[in-house]
Amino acid sequence: MTELTPMLKQYHQIKSQYKDCILFFRLGDFYEMFYEDAKIASKILGIALTSRGHHNGKRIPMCGVPYHSANSYIGRLVNNGFKVAICEQVEDPRKCKGIVKREVIRIITPGSVIDEAEIDEKSNLYISAIYSDLRKNRFGLSFLDLTTGEFKFTELSDQNLLRNELNRLLPAELLILKEDPLADEFNEFRKELIDQKIDLDTATSLLKKQFQVYSLEGFGCHEMPLGTVASGMIVHYMKETQKGFPAHIKEISSYRIGDYMFLDDATCRHLELLRNMRENSVEGSLFSVLDKTNTPMGGRILKKWIIYPLINIEKIRERLLAVKELKEDPILRKKLRNRLKDIYDIERLNAKISLQRANPKDLIALKESIKNLPYIKKLLKKSNNKFIQKLADQLDLLSDIKEEIDKAIVDDPPSILREGGVIREGYNKELDELIKISRDGKDWIAEFIAKEQKRTGINNLKVGFNKVFGYYIEVSKANLKHVPPDYIRKQTLVNAERFITAELKEMEDKVLRADERRVELEHELFQALIERISSQGKRIKKAAEIIGTLDVLCSLSQVAEENNYVLPEVYEGDEIDIRDGRHPVVEKAIKDEEFVPNDIKINLRDQQILIITGPNMSGKSTILRQTALIVLLAQMGSFVPASKARIGLVDRIFTRIGASDDISKGQSTFMLEMNETANILRNATKKSLAILDEIGRGTSTYDGISIAWAVVEYLHDKGIRTLFATHYHELTEIAFLKPRIRNFNVAVKEEGGRIVFLRKLVPGGTNKSYGIHVAKLAGLPDEVIDRAWEILIEMEKKVKRKKGGISLGRYMKKMEDSNQLLLFKR
Ligand code: ADP
Ligand code: MG
């Protein structure tokens, strides 16, 4: 058995506390990994696996990365789902005897990367926590973005709502207590189980400590105890991973999902709000059309506005009028947008400063950003719009912070502190003196060389510097005879010898000590500055929010202008009346044809359910989605793609997109389809809008028609505004049975056996499905097409014979009237 070296003993001792992390063990200029960690890391990072010493007769696997480029390696491990514990030397190896003390100073997890991995600047990076009380059927939810300081919590009354909300937030990590009844759920997220008892008491005291308050009532915690526990779990986790409470997180706020339009996960996906369904990328999403923001803050806020549309008319109008103002004043908008371009991600810079992770260049970026605020405020002040005025009034110019940075930091500092040269001259007396000594030292040496050359008569006498001897005098072989007795020989080279003198060493001491002290002092001054700025973090965060909001308003008005959108009217009634509505994404995507606008009117009076028929590819889905998107746009405060729009407030948009249209899901699509349909039938209200696209497609035709039929009847009787697209023309017959159902179809024209899509929504049902026409368009061989026609004609004959030559709807109506068919009675 080989004894472990003291260093490896220390390694084992530390690793035993961080078993679930890859331990980055600092050894001089490297972070080393050992054993399993080394095997995993070398594979993922593509670095050499070596070994060091023996343990129990086997060589110990090892790999390492240089500390100055560690960030990208850490980022890659974290992106691969690992946690990385950073273990540093916490004392100066020169000043200690024996083995240097080491400690883990931070754990980097998927939700707490700062600059290790590339994080999307237009997205938030959340750590979420949930805490459930199944007996009361209530759930606490909290989330924190460490990179911006946003910290929120809420409570939900149903597990589905919880899941939906998590899907809106898409946290990078989800914390759940090991003892939580839902600990085995939510496997679609990266779960972190907390093996600790955290209850309301522990959570409360953790939060009080974090925010340094006596009571949490000001944050709304008393109304949401489960949300409070979830928030406490996050603070606990931060304390563990960040080794302390992150200073920039100074407040938390509660929210209610009921304050926003409810969009379930399926709806966000179907409407392709932030990502397209096919590739799950931003391209082709609503966000990609609306995003003309010029700051990362703006991008992040825009996403929130999209997935949290408002339901308060006042607030909606407030936003709409601000967008209108900026749209109608293109000069103001241009000036603002130009300025916004010069503003960096001050929200994330602020967080970096508070987390002690900012470098000198970050402070300059903050300063340069702040410089734009006075001009922006001046521009905003001129506006007559109340919302914009309010933003102007609240915009803190942060001039004290700008000045602090300006006074302290040179204009173009290095990105690291190690070498000094960061702090401006004139900022600190002691530093100025040190700089002078170091600069004078160089002049002094020049003089010293001249003096010594003269004294000794050696014309090629030189002074050099190396790490071993410091400053030395170099004399070539030929001149050695002129060397005076006070020179002390240090080194012999082939052609020269090197000497020192007492005078030179004295000066050297002074210069070197000054340089060393200078770096130390710059460090201290920088640290003090960081601390002073951190203490103002709340103000910087607020300014970042105002800039972000302004950026979104500018972006929306720019989009309205470029894409020819109009100001919608949002009101408390129930009618949705859209003239010449367009699909904001499809209208940009199509190349060969012009987008054909369509009118849509839905209300609870006489047009509650629109059944839209038309062959495949005629444009049914597009009409459905554009209607939902126009409603959503209006309620998030955006202009809409239409010539006129009046929107009766919608509290929820439900969508159900039929099996074959929902490509992102795999096999059991029919089950999923029915699940989602059930959800709509249970939860939709008179204020909701339901979009049902080809439901019943995932099963046999007759099953499908029957289910669709029953669903439509039910929605009708419950008073839910619905757009229902189907290629089953049989369904148009329901209009004969129910008063508030209207048939529409997307017009097509037949031209010599071919169909031409007119894309126009017109009243009335279709009695043809044109399936074979579309098949022909798609290029099915002519023999197959001809044979299909034959079969169809035969089948139609048979069906007609059975029903006595009338259509399904009329047949049922007849049966119902004569009370013969109880099955169809409700
Ligand atoms: P359906 O649901 O009836 O099968 P879609 O709504 O999916 O048809 O539309 C099919 C394609 O037709 C779209 O991808 C788009 O390219 C085009 N399209 C749809 N609506 C319009 C329109 N109003 N104007 C122009 N092209 C349209
Ligand atoms: Mg469709």
Side-chain angles (χ1 to χ4, degrees), residues 586 590 593-596 598 615-622 759:
V586 175
I590 53 171
E593 30 177 343
E594 283 280 300
F595 191 91
V596 180
N598 273 306
N616 274 321
M617 290 302 288
S618 58
K620 303 180 296 298
S621 298
T622 306
R759 313 280 183 217

Side-chain angles (χ1 to χ4, degrees), residues 83-139:
K83 297 195 286 179
V84 176
I86 306 293
C87 177
E88 289 290 353
Q89 301 173 170
V90 291
E91 50 184 8
D92 190 337
R94 285 174 299 180
K95 289 178 188 156
C96 72
K97 273 206 205 109
I99 191 147
V100 56
K101 219 169 126 195
R102 288 185 175 84
E103 265 171 29
V104 168
I105 54 144
R106 193 161 92 92
I107 300 168
I108 297 140
T109 67
S112 64
V113 287
I114 308 292
D115 42 19
E116 291 83 6
E118 209 152 291
I119 38 181
D120 176 14
E121 61 171 20
K122 289 188 172 174
S123 299
N124 278 103
L125 184 69
Y126 289 125
I127 296 179
S128 268
I130 56 173
Y131 182 80
S132 27
D133 183 341
L134 281 190
R135 215 167 27 86
K136 292 193 185 129
N137 203 26
R138 281 195 77 78
F139 305 88

Side-chain angles (χ1 to χ4, degrees), residues 494-532:
V494 186
N495 296 319
E497 291 201 356
R498 287 174 176 176
F499 304 88
I500 55 169
T501 69
E503 196 188 5
L504 185 61
K505 281 296 118 176
E506 200 177 297
M507 189 56 202
E508 173 189 305
D509 255 19
K510 234 169 135 185
V511 172
L512 290 189
R513 245 185 300 123
D515 279 349
E516 203 172 288
R517 173 69 191 135
R518 173 187 173 171
V519 172
E520 218 175 83
L521 183 59
E522 288 206 31
H523 227 283
E524 283 164 25
L525 293 170
F526 187 78
Q527 230 35 56
L529 178 65
I530 290 281
E531 230 125 83
R532 280 199 303 281

Side-chain angles (χ1 to χ4, degrees), residues 182-314:
L182 296 185
D184 293 332
E185 298 279 320
F186 300 108
N187 291 319
E188 64 269 44
F189 298 100
R190 191 192 180 285
K191 277 195 304 188
E192 186 70 38
L193 292 179
I194 298 183
D195 191 9
Q196 200 124 19
K197 273 217 174 343
I198 296 180
D199 56 15
L200 189 57
D201 283 344
T202 21
T204 305
S205 80
L206 279 166
L207 289 164
K208 281 182 183 168
K209 233 188 237 158
Q210 168 76 42
F211 304 127
Q212 300 179 355
V213 291
Y214 291 113
S215 157
L216 297 174
E217 287 211 2
F219 301 119
C221 289
H222 55 298
E223 288 168 1
M224 296 184 182
L226 302 178
T228 305
V229 180
S231 310
M233 287 162 61
I234 292 184
V235 172
H236 164 82
Y237 189 62
M238 281 300 113
K239 234 181 80 190
E240 297 280 298
T241 56
Q242 303 296 304
K243 303 287 153 191
F245 296 103
H248 67 302
I249 295 155
K250 298 190 174 80
E251 52 190 354
I252 187 167
S253 58
S254 62
Y255 73 104
R256 276 165 221 285
I257 52 162
D259 291 343
Y260 301 94
M261 182 196 282
F262 186 79
L263 297 170
D264 55 35
D265 175 35
T267 301
C268 290
R269 274 190 302 114
H270 293 153
L271 296 179
E272 309 191 294
L273 298 181
L274 302 184
R275 300 174 163 277
N276 74 40
M277 264 167 62
R278 244 166 267 258
E279 295 135 26
N280 207 25
S281 66
V282 176
E283 201 189 329
S285 64
L286 180 66
F287 176 73
S288 74
V289 173
L290 297 184
D291 182 26
K292 301 264 175 216
T293 60
N294 285 337
T295 69
M297 291 82 79
R300 293 192 292 265
I301 294 178
L302 176 60
K303 277 194 181 163
K304 278 189 200 140
W305 284 23
I306 293 174
I307 56 171
Y308 289 98
L310 302 174
I311 50 172
N312 176 309
I313 296 220
E314 290 312 306

